[in-house]
Amino acid sequence: MPVTFITGAAGFIGFHLARRLLERGDPVVGLDNLNPYYDVSLKEARLQQLQAYPHFSFYRADLEDPQSVAHIFETHHPDVVVNLAAQAGVRYSLQNPFAYVNSNLVGFLNVLEGCRHHPVRHLVYASSSSVYGANTKIPFSVSDSVDHPVSLYAATKKANELMAHAYSHLYCIPSTGLRFFTVYGPWGRPDMALFLFTRAILEERPIDVFNYGRMQRDFTYIDDIVEGIVRVIERPPAARTSSAPGAGSTAPHRVYNIGNHQPVELLRLIEILERCLGKPAIKNLLPMQPGDVLATYADVEDLVRDTGFCPSTPIEVGVARFVEWYRSFYAVS
């Protein structure tokens, strides 16, 4: 049975992907350091669910520790690696830049070295819509230039794509980068807007609404993200051959957007959330924050063409599911 190694297995996306694979009977090896960037008890609760499956193995370790990563490759010889571990958050990168270099660059290098010395069928890794940075052309296409990041977090994700391509080219590692667009849903991250807003509204506290609520985000429901990852896993890229001038890379490497391709204004999200919670929000309208972008909007044509899948969960449905989970998990009415 093919083994999948998931880094960041106790994280939001990693947990959902691991559970999906475990439910269909796949062996999964997970790594996570359970760092305190956000509530560790939430990560532990996710992990507890995964550990109920007999074919789940877990290592609590730092991705930037080369010995720990090498040990997993040597012990389990994974067929597929999905790198989801990263120091997340655009605004936090302004406060603690070294965390991003250690996790997102050094950690990813350790994964690439593992794939180099223990060849895998497919390396899938998380990139981000943040790589589009200051781009004003929408929707964002994978063919667009992404040379102008506006946060260190975005720069590390762009660097991941370049590093993966180099290893793909040098060592023929089939690899696919996934640019995720504002993922939300049950078991989500407490530092994300939907989680922060829900908690504050229920506690009747003001919510900070940046750019006066006029930002747009391509909110993508977690089940759509996981379905996209699962479909991509089964389609490792092949090396291309071309002698045409300017034909581009021949490495077995590619990049996809995974987004709902339907941007939603922040004020609209708040309206939907107010309806689901049955309570009004107290809005603290603020100007744009450094590192933020006005809008994100995914062109998913390549993903649809190659996998036959198009994310499509309506924001109203996804927010309602999140609120239902939140009320249940935190036992609030």
Side-chain angles (χ1 to χ4, degrees):
M1 182 74 71
V3 175
T4 302
F5 174 29
I6 300 175
T7 72
F12 177 30
I13 301 175
F15 158 71
H16 279 278
L17 176 63
R19 188 172 62 176
R20 168 75 178 272
L21 296 177
L22 291 165
E23 284 174 350
R24 73 180 194 185
D26 293 9
V28 172
V29 178
L31 174 146
D32 204 294
N33 66 359
L34 285 89
N35 72 56
Y37 169 67
Y38 64 78
D39 184 10
V40 174
S41 65
L42 177 59
K43 299 180 182 182
E44 290 172 338
R46 295 175 185 141
L47 190 57
Q48 187 176 22
Q49 293 217 349
L50 299 179
Q51 289 173 324
Y53 294 89
H55 40 295
F56 177 68
S57 305
F58 179 71
Y59 292 82
R60 182 168 183 170
D62 289 318
L63 195 64
E64 56 263 37
D65 175 16
Q67 285 76 30
S68 295
V69 176
H71 174 73
I72 292 173
F73 276 93
E74 290 163 4
T75 303
H76 296 277
H77 297 283
D79 302 274
V80 172
V81 176
V82 184
N83 184 63
L84 299 171
Q87 178 58 61
V90 168
R91 293 181 191 126
Y92 186 62
S93 69
L94 303 176
Q95 305 163 30
N96 192 358
F98 290 99
Y100 292 78
V101 171
N102 292 334
S103 179
N104 301 8
L105 299 182
V106 176
F108 190 50
L109 178 61
N110 290 333
V111 171
L112 291 170
E113 280 289 288
C115 294
R116 170 190 175 186
H117 295 293
H118 302 274
V120 297
R121 182 168 61 86
H122 198 179
L123 165 64
V124 179
Y125 63 94
S127 184
S128 167
S129 62
S130 67
V131 301
Y132 290 105
N135 284 22
T136 55
K137 170 188 165 290
I138 54 174
F140 297 157
S141 167
V142 293
S143 62
D144 293 342
S145 170
V146 287
D147 294 333
H148 303 98
V150 294
S151 70
L152 180 63
Y153 170 70
T156 64
K157 287 302 184 178
K158 172 60 177 174
N160 284 170
E161 295 180 6
L162 297 173
M163 293 163 71
H165 181 273
Y167 268 69
S168 238
H169 171 77
L170 290 169
Y171 308 114
C172 294
I173 300 169
S175 59
T176 302
L178 301 176
R179 294 174 179 172
F180 298 136
F181 282 69
T182 316
V183 189
Y184 75 101
W187 297 96
R189 278 175 31 207
D191 62 319
M192 298 291 282
L194 181 59
F195 206 114
L196 291 169
F197 291 172
T198 298
R199 177 166 288 170
I201 292 170
L202 287 172
E203 295 174 0
E204 299 181 352
R205 292 185 289 106
I207 60 174
D208 289 340
V209 183
F210 294 104
N211 199 42
Y212 311 102
R214 297 302 175 188
M215 290 190 295
Q216 291 186 324
R217 290 293 179 268
D218 203 343
F219 293 100
T220 311
Y221 189 62
I222 184 61
D223 289 359
D224 287 337
I225 292 288
V226 170
E227 180 64 27
I229 297 172
V230 169
R231 295 207 187 196
V232 164
I233 284 174
E234 301 305 324
R235 293 165 174 81
R240 296 178 291 277
T241 58
S242 176
S243 57
S249 171
T250 59
H253 174 266
R254 66 186 171 199
V255 174
Y256 291 119
N257 289 331
I258 301 188
N260 205 47
H261 63 100
Q262 293 182 30
V264 174
E265 195 169 74
L266 199 54
L267 289 175
R268 171 69 177 147
L269 173 74
I270 294 167
E271 289 174 7
I272 295 167
L273 184 56
E274 288 173 322
R275 279 207 309 271
C276 290
L277 292 172
K279 297 188 76 169
I282 305 167
K283 304 181 192 71
N284 181 27
L285 300 177
L286 296 168
M288 194 80 157
Q289 286 281 283
D292 274 349
V293 296
L294 280 172
T296 64
Y297 182 180
D299 178 343
V300 293
E301 182 179 338
D302 290 359
L303 180 73
V304 175
R305 180 195 65 219
D306 292 348
T307 70
F309 175 67
C310 183
S312 60
T313 302
I315 188 73
E316 295 83 0
V317 172
V319 170
R321 290 175 183 168
F322 170 80
V323 168
E324 182 182 8
W325 168 81
Y326 186 96
R327 290 188 188 278
S328 173
F329 185 77
Y330 291 102
V332 293
S333 58

